[in-house]
Amino acid sequence: HKAAMLRQASLAARRAAGRGIASFASGRQAAVISAMVRKPVKVDFEGGAGSARVAPSLLKPKHGRSLSCSASSGDDMGHMEPPEAFELLQTEGWKFVDVRTEEEFAAGHVEDSVNIPVFFFSDAGMTPNTKFVEQLRAAVPDKTTKLIMGCKIGQRSMMAGQLALNDQYDEVHNMTGGMIRWAESGLPIQQ
């Protein structure tokens, strides 16, 4: 049972390690993003055959589940699927931060979420929101609040999560698959 959990955690870590935070940007945008975000945590794989050095907190069951890749400790960002995010948002101390544009947010969002775009779209392409951290501090002043970051597919929210961690928020999680996977999971969307 523990070996199966380790394999699943290893696969999730490999998928996350294969996607760079700034991989969707190029040129000047990538330089701006790199300046805003610390380098992503590296995951080392060793021993082959499904063994990996993974934080022990990733192997602890949460909320009666056999596997949770959402544990976050120190300055490591956790990752979770939308059903787990939905379940946790029903409890006290959790806040969903939707980092999509205002237009995307208006089209449908998680109930009681706060909208702080990490990027703005324009004819010139994506422009980073240089006031993101300032706006996050204003919207969620208590840094012990557990944050779940979400966007359309999970890329922008990963970057936003790193910004929140850099600003000393205690616990930050990226919702894997973003609002697309949230909708595919049949979870409620507020218009």
Side-chain angles (χ1 to χ4, degrees):
H1 184 65
K2 191 172 182 179
M5 289 190 324
L6 180 59
R7 272 194 308 280
Q8 289 178 347
S10 172
L11 288 172
R14 284 182 201 210
R15 284 193 299 269
R19 294 186 303 253
I21 289 172
S23 65
F24 60 92
S26 61
R28 184 178 175 289
Q29 293 168 340
V32 170
I33 293 168
S34 295
M36 291 172 67
V37 183
R38 69 186 163 103
K39 295 193 182 215
V41 177
K42 291 185 179 177
V43 178
D44 296 320
F45 297 94
E46 56 187 49
S51 70
R53 207 165 48 208
V54 178
S57 59
L58 292 176
L59 301 177
K60 292 179 184 175
K62 279 204 175 217
H63 310 288
R65 297 174 190 273
S66 61
L67 171 69
S68 174
C69 291
S70 66
S72 177
S73 61
D75 63 353
D76 295 337
M77 182 172 18
H79 298 272
M80 67 177 62
E81 293 290 325
E84 182 179 7
F86 177 74
E87 181 180 319
L88 292 172
L89 288 166
Q90 308 310 305
T91 63
E92 194 170 321
W94 290 86
K95 188 69 176 172
F96 191 89
V97 180
D98 191 320
V99 302
R100 298 175 300 158
T101 64
E102 291 175 2
E103 295 80 15
E104 290 173 298
F105 184 80
H109 55 271
V110 174
E111 185 177 356
D112 294 326
S113 59
V114 60
N115 180 224
I116 308 171
V118 73
F119 282 99
F120 300 108
F121 294 125
S122 70
D123 293 337
M126 291 190 332
T127 306
N129 177 1
T130 57
K131 296 186 185 276
F132 176 81
V133 173
E134 179 183 323
Q135 293 168 346
L136 180 61
R137 286 179 192 152
V140 188
D142 181 0
K143 293 191 178 184
T144 63
T145 301
K146 298 172 186 124
L147 301 178
I148 301 171
M149 300 289 189
C151 64
K152 183 176 180 180
I153 62 171
Q155 288 285 339
R156 288 176 280 171
S157 54
M158 273 187 18
M159 197 209 77
Q162 290 296 328
L163 291 171
L165 286 171
N166 289 350
D167 199 46
Q168 307 303 311
Y169 280 85
D170 289 349
E171 190 169 345
V172 181
H173 303 267
N174 181 51
M175 187 173 72
T176 307
M179 289 302 294
I180 288 178
R181 193 166 302 159
W182 179 280
E184 289 172 351
S185 299
L187 297 168
I189 296 175
Q190 184 174 341
Q191 299 291 328

